[in-house]
Amino acid sequence: MLRFFRKLRKCESGATAIEYGLIAGLISVVIIGVVQLTGNELVEVFTRISDALQSVPPAP
């Protein structure tokens, strides 16, 4: 049992996986923040486009 714990302590693959997980989590938090900041502006742009298209008369 003691050998198992010594071997486990030397193994660094779990630490690498955790580091990659933390990096992925940080990137996702940044993406969510950017989308939230620009989300309202995008809604306004699409609303203006929709309003402009509704004012165009239909083709005969």
Side-chain angles (χ1 to χ4, degrees):
M1 188 66 128
L2 190 56
R3 285 184 193 165
F4 173 74
F5 287 118
R6 285 181 184 163
K7 193 175 186 181
L8 188 63
R9 190 172 30 157
K10 290 181 182 180
C11 181
E12 295 183 7
S13 62
T16 303
I18 291 172
E19 290 169 356
Y20 282 131
L22 289 172
I23 290 170
L26 179 63
I27 290 171
S28 65
V29 167
V30 170
I31 290 173
I32 289 170
V34 169
V35 168
Q36 285 184 346
L37 288 174
T38 61
N40 291 334
E41 295 174 14
L42 285 175
V43 168
E44 291 175 10
V45 168
F46 285 118
T47 302
R48 279 187 261 138
I49 291 171
S50 174
D51 292 343
L53 290 175
Q54 287 177 0
S55 65
V56 175

